[in-house]
Amino acid sequence: MDPFWHRRDLRVTDNVGLSAAADRGPVVPCFVLDDAVLEHAGPPRVRYLLASLAELRDAYRERGSDLIVGRGDPAEILPRLADAVDADRVVWNRGYSGLARERDARVEESLAAGDGAAAAAPEAIDVETYHDAVLHDPDSIRTNKGDPYSVFTYYWKKWRDREKGAPETTPSEETLCDAETIADVVADVTSDLQSGDATIAAGTLPTITDLGVAEPEADPIPAGTPGARDRLESFLESDIFRYEALRDVPAASVTSELSQDLSFGTIGPREVYAATEDAMARAEAGGADGIVSDLEDADPVSSVTEFRSQLAWREFYLQVLFHNPETVSRNYKTYENSIDWREDPDALAAWKRGETGYPIVDAGMRQLRAEAFMHNRVRMIVASFLTKDLLLDWRAGYAHFREHLRDHDTANDVGGWQWAASTGTDAQPYFRIFNPMTQGERYDPDAEYITTYVPELRGVDPDPIHSWHELDPERREAVAPEYPEPIVDHAQRREEALATFEAARGEAD
Ligand SMILES: Cc1cc2nc3c(=O)[nH]c(=O)nc-3n(C[C@H](O)[C@H](O)[C@H](O)COP(=O)(O)OP(=O)(O)OC[C@H]3O[C@@H](n4cnc5c(N)ncnc54)[C@H](O)[C@@H]3O)c2cc1C
């Protein structure tokens, strides 16, 4: 019997490592709540994690097995578990961030040292790892010179043209360790662990309060594989064909909202990609033409391709982080001088509360609080506002997103922030600064998204909303007395941002 250690792959379907372990069977499935990891997880993510673990446990129980849930240091728990089941090896799917790789190396060392062995002569336990979270592993797509890619367009061409693996088969009941044996194993390991802080249980999950994490403000969404599959199914009905035309329009809500699922692995990337193949076949046969008939120039085929390119962006940022783990907290791009970010706690607090007086920015920041989610276009706008209009360090924005997003994902979050701050790979050039008013007007012309999240502006015509920064104080008072004045002047801040970046480039007078 070999333990399979679930981490960011909270599913039994389309799971590369689990299928490989099940081929030998029987598998002992486990997950470890590691305080070192929980420290970095905001409340919406912890809630989604616990709900997804409950779904994972139920999937095992339906198959006559159970999920072992440990709490503590995996380097302590896994060797004990492996020893208790007399394992030859422990199997898991690879993590790619610096933190995940360090932890995995530690666990591997303690397994190799036989740290869990009850016997006097400890036996080394092997580790077997798989690429599962991605369609193409971070080392497999390189430039013709053999370097990792730093420009998305070139990466995308190779990613797009490579053959993709089919979804993995789901392990059958016979290949999983039965629930009774799991209960015995847990009892065995529990008596072994008595001296330390670590605990282990068969399928019993702590509550969010047990973990010392506050209840999130946002409402929960359906979690685990059932939630993810429902979202994918509903996206495939029609939104995937309207995606290209409307993905930048936040009020249209055509995007898949699969980001937390891909991040926690409640759905596998091969399953999502296979779904795009079905959608592509339908689009190519003209079966989606009626769905886009009200949209000028919309093409269902290129819409499916556009969605695939977002899946590729995810893997692009992942390979950037894999090859440059330090960029989690350091700029990817080196300027000659350091960027002179400002210290302005009041402005940062107004941005966090969604009270900047820039309607699209405030709507986004309030969507984040209300739903633990934010539309991609709006993420770009609020990130640009923080780094260019307020001239605050992207790391402050990243920390806030990490705390509040249910889909926070180190690679994508760092990638998105460094893109907006003009410090990342293939980033927005420093001189292309978003105008938050024009962005609002272009992507939310009827102010539908804005008024959903900013009640002070409900009933106000789109015109004054999109020209709020130009209105005189009397007019603002007459139109929306409760909505704040702009905290900065965009035109002036734009000039200051250009000067700041030119100084960083060593081009100042
Ligand atoms: C400042 C900033 C911070 C971000 N932080 C995160 C984050 O913490 N976690 C996260 O998953 N995404 C992040 N993104 C990327 C993007 O905003 C979200 O992935 C997307 O909004 C999620 O919605 P969706 O699932 O409906 O996306 P869809 O448009 O349906 O895309 C499908 C999937 O592709 C991936 N994807 C889409 N857009 C991007 C992108 N620009 N970069 C990388 N992958 C992408 C996601 O996995 C997403 O679920 C960030 C973007 C910015 C600008």
Side-chain angles (χ1 to χ4, degrees):
M1 284 194 292
D2 291 338
F4 177 77
W5 181 22
H6 281 278
R7 297 107 59 79
R8 298 275 290 271
D9 54 348
L10 304 181
R11 63 185 186 282
V12 294
T13 53
D14 187 26
N15 187 322
V16 180
L18 179 61
S19 294
D23 279 348
R24 281 183 305 258
V27 176
V28 178
C30 66
F31 182 88
V32 180
L33 288 155
D34 177 356
D35 288 331
V37 175
L38 287 172
E39 216 176 277
H40 298 274
R45 275 178 67 72
V46 175
R47 179 176 57 195
Y48 184 83
L49 166 70
L50 291 175
S52 296
L53 282 172
E55 292 288 353
L56 180 64
R57 173 199 59 199
D58 293 351
Y60 279 118
R61 286 186 175 170
E62 277 162 24
R63 290 164 174 81
S65 183
D66 210 341
L67 177 70
I68 294 181
V69 181
R71 176 146 188 222
D73 184 352
E76 182 184 359
I77 293 174
L78 285 163
R80 298 273 157 96
L81 179 61
D83 183 57
V85 298
D86 211 7
D88 290 327
R89 60 185 81 71
V90 177
V91 184
W92 66 72
N93 290 316
R94 288 197 200 179
Y96 302 110
S97 72
L99 204 65
R101 280 149 72 192
E102 273 166 34
R103 178 206 50 203
D104 292 355
R106 248 181 357 96
V107 174
E108 194 164 347
E109 249 170 55
S110 74
L111 285 164
D115 283 352
E123 258 188 56
I125 294 170
D126 286 343
V127 162
E128 202 172 273
T129 64
Y130 291 87
H131 292 292
D132 165 77
V134 281
L135 290 154
H136 301 295
D137 82 68
D139 236 355
S140 66
I141 297 189
R142 287 178 172 259
T143 65
N144 295 343
K145 273 169 64 194
D147 298 327
Y149 275 102
S150 56
V151 178
F152 176 73
T153 326
Y154 302 125
Y155 174 84
W156 158 238
K157 282 186 183 141
K158 280 199 182 157
W159 187 96
R160 182 192 60 192
D161 296 341
R162 290 260 163 108
E163 202 175 321
K164 310 283 182 283
E168 289 291 327
T169 49
T170 307
S172 63
E173 188 161 338
E174 303 71 57
T175 62
L176 300 171
C177 180
D178 64 83
E180 218 172 291
T181 312
I182 295 244
D184 291 345
V185 168
V186 164
D188 215 15
V189 178
T190 302
S191 61
D192 249 19
L193 285 172
Q194 262 165 8
S195 54
D197 292 334
T199 59
I200 186 168
T204 313
L205 285 161
T207 63
I208 194 162
T209 323
D210 294 339
L211 294 178
V213 176
E215 272 293 335
E217 289 169 48
D219 287 338
I221 58 162
T225 305
R229 283 188 160 167
D230 282 352
R231 280 182 281 278
L232 178 61
E233 224 171 88
S234 128
F235 178 62
L236 294 170
E237 275 167 25
S238 61
D239 286 344
I240 192 168
F241 306 112
R242 300 162 69 81
Y243 182 81
E244 184 179 37
L246 296 176
R247 64 180 290 266
D248 274 323
V249 179
S253 275
V254 298
T255 69
S256 69
E257 297 203 12
L258 281 171
S259 41
Q260 64 289 323
D261 306 306
L262 287 163
S263 171
F264 276 109
T266 50
I267 199 159
R270 290 153 299 276
E271 181 172 339
V272 176
Y273 192 84
T276 72
E277 288 180 321
D278 295 343
M280 186 61 99
R282 183 175 164 197
E284 282 172 347
D289 292 352
I291 292 169
V292 299
S293 56
D294 60 331
L295 297 168
E296 213 178 309
D297 295 334
D299 172 7
V301 170
S302 69
S303 192
V304 177
T305 304
E306 179 63 28
F307 177 69
R308 286 179 178 167
S309 82
Q310 300 312 313
L311 301 176
W313 266 108
R314 172 177 172 266
E315 300 194 4
F316 173 72
Y317 279 145
L318 210 128
Q319 58 99 40
V320 171
L321 185 69
F322 177 75
H323 292 292
N324 310 275
E326 73 290 350
T327 57
V328 69
S329 56
R330 270 201 242 143
N331 294 345
Y332 177 91
K333 186 176 161 76
T334 329
Y335 284 98
E336 197 165 315
N337 305 310
S338 58
I339 303 169
D340 194 10
W341 301 116
R342 296 187 184 176
E343 288 290 331
D344 189 344
D346 291 344
L348 179 60
W351 178 82
K352 288 182 180 175
R353 288 195 308 270
E355 292 179 6
T356 66
Y358 281 87
I360 189 87
V361 174
D362 293 343
M365 298 309 294
R366 295 190 205 185
Q367 184 188 13
L368 177 60
R369 283 290 173 100
E371 296 173 7
F373 186 79
M374 197 192 299
H375 185 274
N376 178 60
R377 168 58 50 180
V378 191
R379 290 186 206 205
M380 289 155 74
I381 298 169
V382 304
S384 174
F385 189 82
L386 186 89
T387 54
K388 305 289 172 55
D389 286 79
L390 301 182
L391 271 163
L392 299 178
D393 194 326
W394 64 267
R395 282 158 279 229
Y398 171 78
H400 186 69
F401 270 30
R402 189 175 70 179
E403 181 72 9
H404 292 280
L405 276 175
R406 65 172 188 243
D407 69 7
H408 161 74
D409 180 279
T410 309
N412 284 356
D413 217 357
V414 167
W417 274 101
Q418 296 228 36
W419 179 89
S422 306
T423 58
T425 168
D426 207 1
Q428 174 87 319
Y430 77 94
F431 49 82
R432 229 179 268 155
I433 296 177
F434 276 10
N435 176 330
M437 308 309 295
T438 331
Q439 290 282 316
E441 205 168 3
R442 186 175 309 152
Y443 297 110
D444 192 28
D446 300 328
E448 198 183 328
Y449 173 80
I450 290 172
T451 50
T452 302
Y453 297 102
V454 184
E456 305 97 290
L457 292 171
R458 277 183 204 149
V460 177
D461 281 345
D463 271 1
I465 291 181
H466 294 312
S467 54
W468 187 252
H469 63 308
E470 289 166 358
L471 303 185
D472 56 47
E474 292 77 38
R475 179 110 168 89
R476 282 193 200 120
E477 181 64 22
V479 169
E482 303 299 328
Y483 186 64
E485 306 249 310
I487 58 167
V488 290
D489 176 70
H490 171 70
Q492 184 195 333
R493 287 305 178 100
R494 182 180 181 280
E495 293 309 314
E496 291 174 20
L498 289 174
T500 300
F501 275 86
E502 272 152 21
R505 285 161 57 89
E507 289 171 4
D509 301 332

